[in-house]
Amino acid sequence: MELTTTIKDVFDRVSKKQRLSSSKTQEVIDLVEQEIEQVLSKIQQPPPPNGGETNPKAILAELNAKLKEFGPTNQLDSSQKDLNMALGKYTKVIDKTFITDIAKAYRSVDFDQHTLNQIIAAHFYRQGLFDLGDLFTTEAHEPDLVSLKAPFLEMYAILEAMRLKNLEPALNWARTHRDQLLLKGSSLEMKLHRLAFVEMLQKGGDARAEALAYARTHLAPLARTHMAEVQRLMGCLLWAGRLDASPYAELLSPSQWELLENEVARECCGALGQSCESPLHVAIGAGVQGLPTLLKLANVMAAKRQEWGAMKQLPIAVELGKEYQFHSVFVCPVSREQGSEENPPMIMPCGHVLCRGSIMKLSKSSNRAFKCPYCPMEATVLQCRQLHF
Amino acid sequence: MEPEPLQNGDSAPSAPVPAPPSKMSNLEESLKLEHQFLKVPFEHLKKSMRVNHRMVEKEMSAVMLTVAEVSDRDMSREEAVHHLTSLVSRLQGLKRKLEESNKTEQLQAQRCRARLDHLGMLQVGNQREWSDIRVKRILVDYMLRLSYYNTAIELAEHSNIQDLVDVDVFLEAKNVIDALQNKEVAPALAWCAENKSRLKKSKVYDIPVVHVRSKLEFELRQQEFIELVRAKNSMQALAYVRKYLAPWGSTHLKELQHVVATLAFTSDTECEKYKVLFDAKRWDCLVEQFKQEFCRLYGMSLEPLLNIYLQAGLSVLKTPYCYEEDCTKEDPLSQESFRKLASSLPFSKQHHSKLVCYISKELMDVDNPPFVLPNGYVYSTKAMADMAKKNGGKITCPRTGLVCNFTDLVKAFIC
């Protein structure tokens, strides 16, 4: 991606200059040290047998002059200057490429601390991070939040067991919740048995008898609802111990465990009345998608000196991915108003949909026929039906 | 951040797949929000470099000065040897210190690089994982800002994202904050001195201000003075004013006069104007002020990232339907805690109809148009076709119980 490649290049230059600067510094210090040491050894030399005491002053004056000429501080300064330039360039490039103030769209409304802590604690527990959640509730001085843990403990016990290839707890759960699962059309119990069956078969040899027994006990009752799948699994019996060479090899893949774990997690959450995804994760994700637009809006409003504060509705639409679309929102193509209880969407005989307000306007509130704005068909108010999305 | 489709067994579940071009620009947009992510470790690196350079400068200047001095004087051999030896050991000491600080600089530069690499991974790696890490980063940032250090460190370690979060930077602040909470200003003043040149140039957002002297230092000095007055150390207090507060007179005269006048009062004074100066809450204000200066210096937002992202997210998700009884559990706003947070935020706006099938939760668009029952209830074509296939051509409305034939349904055209 070009964004990071250009920036990486600039940073590479920073690294290079840093290395140069530090080696130069080393050089300068070494040189000065050397000079001083040379003079030191000169002075420490025993005086010549015929002369008197050597006067160190002359030697020292020589040293001083030499060092001055060398100008270590200037050298250090100039290498630092070089480095500073590279640093400045990098600062400029990141300030330019990224949005420096993402808090521009932030409103100073009350974000209740306790509620936020509650959300975070629930998130930790939901993700199975029980110790972390406990640590958090202690540090945040919110001991009662620990109670949020309870519903997820069972779920994580089941998942932990699955990670250790133990399907018993999961099967128990599926049995207890069989009716619920059937209502949803979920084939979780079947999938669990399938995985257990395949694992058994893989052991090969005598396992075939064991697997057959398993099939009779557990797969047979499911035959009514999952005939095709059961037949397929019966076919696997022929390949006991050599499933990887069979047409059913995919059933052996380790990802089957992962997929099933995810499905168990989803069903457990559903049974608990919880969403599949952590709501905090979803909200942050929506924020990431929406923030760039909101920041642009904040800039525009600041330029126009408009008040950001007390608006009831965002003045612009933010495009979110369809994973964030939880509700049907109808926008009348004519009036651009959002459908509501007082102004519901209505379908005309031609199949086009407008809000009631627009229809009333078009019909001039009488029972005269009016033309649909999108096709030549005519309609009267009475022929229009209210829609419920 | 789309729910990944269930895949067949053989391919690794997290095989990196480059995003389609339509999503690329969205991803780039979201990357642009990560200024703080790159800026903080870089500022930290620059600071280390500054400190090192100053140390080298200082030592080198001292050495040069000493050489100049001794070459000017008359001295014995022993004295000269003594001076020169001490200079050599000084330089050697400097080299040792430099070795240490170079190592630190290297680590900090590595961290900057690691973060650049991480950003580059968004578009080529597993996006689900990247989003997960982003949530964790945001949570660590929150913990650090609220001083829940243990949780922050634990979360960073557990998720192996130590290089992607700024624990060490915040731990530096912790020392100052702890001291302030113990009514000690020394570490805070030391911090101001350390960062003096940077604080002066601090730009308040986009408004360049020429002479921004860090007001924090002034506030800290005031507080120390007030504590001296509180303890009835009038002589010390007066000396303090002369030494530390007087220089601020040229720019903050009124404030200075106000605080110095406390000398005339006792700490339990009832006079409102001066009672407020003796209030212990001023220490909390100092902590807040320090936190703000600190964040500004490192290029961090003043509010926790969590608040910023949540506010934006809740607002764009907020519709009147979220507050209805049968709001789907998948919507965060179906939960009481999220509703509470979103209560004072504006609703989202839509320009075009976006319709979601009640049964399949899928979008009802051109590929899956809405079908209308005789009673006005609407479901997606796919859901209706599915239901009809399994029920011999009959449809039962899940919400009203009405039974009709698939052939009774009418297609709706949504513009």
Side-chain angles (χ1 to χ4, degrees):
Chain A
M1 193 182 101
E2 314 102 64
L3 199 85
T4 45
T5 340
T6 349
I7 304 180
K8 276 189 192 171
D9 287 339
V10 180
F11 190 75
D12 283 339
R13 236 171 286 153
V14 167
S15 291
K16 194 169 107 181
K17 294 290 177 186
Q18 181 194 23
R19 279 194 295 273
L20 280 174
S21 166
S22 76
S23 64
K24 181 77 187 205
T25 309
Q26 193 75 23
E27 226 179 83
V28 167
I29 299 177
D30 278 339
L31 228 118
V32 171
E33 191 186 343
Q34 257 175 43
E35 291 294 326
I36 297 181
E37 276 183 332
Q38 270 179 10
V39 167
L40 193 57
S41 61
K42 233 191 209 167
I43 294 183
Q44 281 175 320
Q45 266 170 12
N50 52 337
E53 275 283 306
T54 25
N55 185 356
K57 190 167 179 188
I59 305 179
L60 287 174
E62 203 187 309
L63 172 68
N64 188 30
K66 209 174 189 184
L67 286 181
K68 262 199 174 139
E69 201 187 319
F70 177 55
T73 32
N74 285 344
Q75 299 231 2
L76 293 171
D77 268 346
S78 84
S79 89
Q80 188 70 11
K81 215 169 164 192
D82 242 3
L83 177 58
N84 280 340
M85 257 177 51
L87 293 174
K89 271 215 178 93
Y90 186 69
T91 308
K92 258 212 200 101
V93 88
I94 48 176
D95 283 351
K96 201 176 72 163
T97 322
F98 295 87
I99 302 176
T100 46
D101 183 18
I102 59 169
K104 226 175 190 159
Y106 192 72
R107 300 142 182 289
S108 39
V109 292
D110 222 4
F111 239 37
D112 182 37
Q113 199 60 46
H114 173 74
T115 317
L116 207 42
N117 287 342
Q118 206 180 349
I119 290 178
I120 297 175
H123 172 81
F124 282 145
Y125 290 133
R126 187 185 209 294
Q127 307 289 94
L129 302 168
F130 298 114
D131 291 331
L132 193 60
D134 289 339
L135 181 58
F136 172 66
T137 49
T138 325
E139 244 186 326
H141 305 297
E142 306 244 24
D144 356 304
L145 292 182
V146 179
S147 58
L148 293 169
K149 205 193 323 192
F152 298 105
L153 286 169
E154 193 195 350
M155 177 167 106
Y156 275 93
I158 296 177
L159 291 176
E160 262 311 298
M162 278 183 80
R163 276 181 211 133
L164 299 170
K165 307 272 178 172
N166 173 11
L167 287 168
E168 266 314 304
L171 282 166
N172 281 334
W173 188 90
R175 267 191 286 267
T176 340
H177 294 82
R178 185 176 290 162
D179 294 329
Q180 262 179 299
L181 289 171
L182 278 178
L183 209 63
K184 281 169 96 179
S186 160
S187 50
L188 184 65
E189 209 178 338
M190 176 74 232
K191 288 187 184 150
L192 287 168
H193 282 302
R194 178 176 76 191
L195 201 56
F197 182 72
V198 166
E199 282 295 304
M200 232 178 252
L201 269 189
Q202 242 334 70
K203 298 203 194 102
D206 320 312
R208 192 195 289 218
E210 203 187 321
L212 194 54
Y214 191 88
R216 285 215 188 91
T217 339
H218 299 285
L219 293 181
L222 294 168
R224 198 172 36 91
T225 40
H226 295 90
M227 180 56 77
E229 191 61 38
V230 172
Q231 284 176 332
R232 201 164 155 242
L233 289 178
M234 288 298 110
C236 289
L237 274 171
L238 296 170
W239 297 82
R242 326 173 267 139
L243 267 175
D244 37 349
S246 77
Y248 311 105
E250 69 189 26
L251 291 173
L252 281 179
S253 158
S255 65
Q256 291 286 345
W257 282 92
E258 208 179 300
L259 289 170
L260 202 51
E261 250 181 70
N262 287 338
E263 194 168 333
V264 168
R266 272 206 303 278
E267 293 298 343
C268 279
C269 285
L272 289 169
Q274 299 272 347
S275 53
C276 298
E277 288 282 341
S278 155
L280 181 62
H281 201 152
V282 173
I284 290 180
V288 168
Q289 288 202 2
L291 196 51
T293 317
L294 290 180
L295 287 171
K296 286 195 196 118
L297 175 65
N299 278 329
V300 165
M301 292 184 74
K304 290 195 190 159
R305 297 180 190 286
Q306 275 171 355
E307 257 317 297
W308 182 245
M311 55 172 79
K312 287 283 173 227
Q313 189 183 35
L314 292 175
I316 48 161
V318 176
E319 277 300 313
L320 294 176
K322 59 178 156 83
E323 65 269 25
Y324 296 109
Q325 203 66 36
F326 299 113
H327 306 277
S328 286
V329 179
F330 173 74
V331 177
C332 176
V334 169
S335 64
R336 292 280 159 217
E337 276 175 19
Q338 271 173 228
S340 63
E341 207 121 304
E342 305 85 34
N343 191 15
M346 308 198 55
I347 185 171
M348 297 184 285
C350 57
H352 288 115
V353 183
L354 299 179
C355 70
R356 183 191 282 149
S358 299
I359 289 184
M360 299 309 272
K361 271 212 192 93
L362 282 172
S363 69
K364 305 212 198 325
S365 298
S366 71
N367 208 18
R368 275 219 313 264
F370 59 92
K371 190 187 91 69
C372 163
Y374 295 98
C375 68
M377 263 195 85
E378 287 195 344
T380 62
V381 173
L382 291 176
Q383 289 172 319
C384 299
R385 295 186 288 147
Q386 184 173 339
L387 290 183
H388 299 92
F389 290 112
Chain B
M1 225 200 88
E2 281 185 22
E4 246 152 274
L6 293 180
Q7 296 171 356
N8 268 328
D10 21 31
S11 60
S14 48
V17 172
S22 57
K23 259 198 133 177
M24 280 294 210
S25 57
N26 279 342
L27 295 180
E28 261 193 46
E29 285 288 310
S30 70
L31 272 187
K32 293 200 179 143
L33 300 169
E34 301 279 7
H35 185 245
Q36 178 174 321
F37 188 54
L38 293 182
K39 185 98 177 172
V40 176
F42 188 61
E43 289 298 320
H44 204 197
L45 174 62
K46 282 204 284 191
K47 179 168 150 184
S48 300
M49 288 181 176
R50 253 197 322 271
V51 165
N52 286 342
H53 180 71
R54 246 181 260 149
M55 167 177 75
V56 172
E57 228 179 20
K58 192 171 119 190
E59 290 294 301
M60 193 52 81
S61 306
V63 166
M64 294 293 285
L65 206 65
T66 314
V67 170
E69 256 178 35
V70 303
S71 68
D72 220 21
R73 290 201 329 221
D74 278 310
M75 59 172 65
S76 65
R77 242 180 53 183
E78 288 77 26
E79 260 188 283
V81 166
H82 170 75
H83 278 295
L84 290 178
T85 323
S86 71
L87 282 184
V88 169
S89 60
R90 194 167 185 171
L91 285 175
Q92 283 173 341
L94 175 63
K95 283 205 290 193
R96 272 194 307 272
K97 270 193 241 157
L98 265 186
E99 219 184 287
E100 273 305 308
S101 50
N102 272 341
K103 276 202 205 117
T104 317
E105 274 180 35
Q106 287 297 336
L107 285 172
Q108 288 173 338
Q110 243 176 307
R111 174 166 290 190
C112 289
R113 174 60 56 69
R115 297 206 184 177
L116 280 171
D117 288 338
H118 182 74
L119 285 187
M121 279 183 55
L122 175 57
Q123 289 177 315
V124 298
N126 184 333
Q127 274 162 42
R128 170 103 207 175
E129 226 177 278
W130 207 95
S131 308
D132 275 343
I133 293 182
R134 176 169 42 209
V135 171
K136 294 194 172 115
R137 286 194 282 122
I138 291 173
L139 285 174
V140 172
D141 171 272
Y142 179 80
M143 301 300 162
L144 290 171
R145 302 233 194 186
L146 271 94
S147 308
Y148 303 152
Y149 298 105
N150 293 325
T151 316
I153 293 172
E154 181 60 38
L155 180 53
E157 274 177 19
H158 173 94
S159 336
N160 213 12
I161 52 172
Q162 291 98 317
D163 258 348
L164 306 180
V165 293
D166 301 307
V167 175
D168 45 0
V169 169
F170 273 93
L171 284 179
E172 269 178 31
K174 178 179 198 280
N175 290 331
V176 174
I177 294 176
D178 283 347
L180 284 176
Q181 282 167 342
N182 273 331
K183 311 222 162 114
E184 284 167 28
V185 299
L189 284 169
W191 185 87
C192 284
E194 217 177 63
N195 296 286
K196 201 184 217 140
S197 60
R198 288 276 302 141
L199 288 172
K200 271 212 185 107
K201 294 197 206 108
S202 166
K203 280 189 191 177
V204 183
Y205 297 137
D206 282 350
I207 313 166
V209 181
V210 179
H211 289 297
V212 177
R213 272 172 83 180
S214 162
K215 196 129 183 279
L216 178 61
E217 202 187 320
F218 184 36
E219 298 285 340
L220 289 166
R221 294 288 183 201
Q222 284 184 56
Q223 194 59 36
E224 233 181 355
F225 171 72
I226 291 174
E227 294 306 319
L228 287 172
V229 173
R230 196 199 300 272
K232 304 209 170 89
N233 271 335
S234 315
M235 291 317 291
Q236 255 192 315
L238 273 171
Y240 196 88
V241 173
R242 247 175 258 131
K243 186 166 183 197
Y244 295 114
L245 287 174
W248 293 86
S250 53
T251 38
H252 297 88
L253 189 60
K254 263 200 137 57
E255 260 187 87
L256 183 58
Q257 287 174 334
H258 189 203
V259 79
V260 173
T262 52
L263 275 170
F265 296 83
T266 51
S267 54
D268 48 4
T269 182
E270 281 308 312
C271 172
E272 266 317 306
K273 232 179 139 195
Y274 291 93
K275 185 174 179 184
V276 67
L277 287 177
F278 285 108
D279 194 345
K281 282 214 207 69
R282 279 180 62 97
W283 285 100
D284 296 331
C285 291
L286 278 178
V287 170
E288 273 317 300
Q289 233 185 316
F290 168 72
K291 280 185 178 173
Q292 286 186 13
E293 291 272 349
F294 184 80
C295 287
R296 233 174 256 141
L297 195 74
Y298 278 97
M300 296 194 261
S301 58
L302 294 178
E303 300 80 9
L305 292 177
L306 180 64
N307 294 42
I308 296 178
Y309 282 108
L310 262 190
Q311 236 199 38
L314 290 175
S315 198
V316 301
L317 286 175
K318 189 176 176 189
T319 65
Y321 312 105
C322 302
Y323 289 82
E324 285 171 7
E325 271 307 307
D326 60 351
C327 172
T328 166
K329 285 277 161 264
E330 301 303 318
D331 184 347
L333 283 167
S334 61
Q335 297 205 4
E336 199 42 55
S337 45
F338 285 86
R339 283 181 181 169
K340 186 156 178 222
L341 285 185
S343 52
S344 40
L345 297 175
F347 282 90
S348 65
K349 183 175 182 130
Q350 301 271 16
H351 275 323
H352 300 284
S353 299
K354 282 226 170 75
L355 305 171
V356 173
C357 173
Y358 182 85
I359 298 177
S360 66
K361 309 291 181 224
E362 282 180 0
L363 224 54
M364 294 195 284
D365 53 13
V366 140
D367 304 317
N368 188 12
F371 253 156
V372 184
L373 272 60
N375 60 0
Y377 279 74
V378 183
Y379 304 98
S380 65
T381 314
K382 286 196 190 137
M384 292 289 94
D386 245 2
M387 193 187 277
K389 196 163 66 164
K390 291 190 181 140
N391 292 285
K394 289 233 180 269
I395 304 286
T396 310
C397 171
R399 288 179 279 186
T400 57
L402 174 81
V403 182
C404 65
N405 289 314
F406 184 75
T407 44
D408 296 333
L409 301 182
V410 178
K411 193 151 88 153
F413 297 94
I414 309 289
C415 307

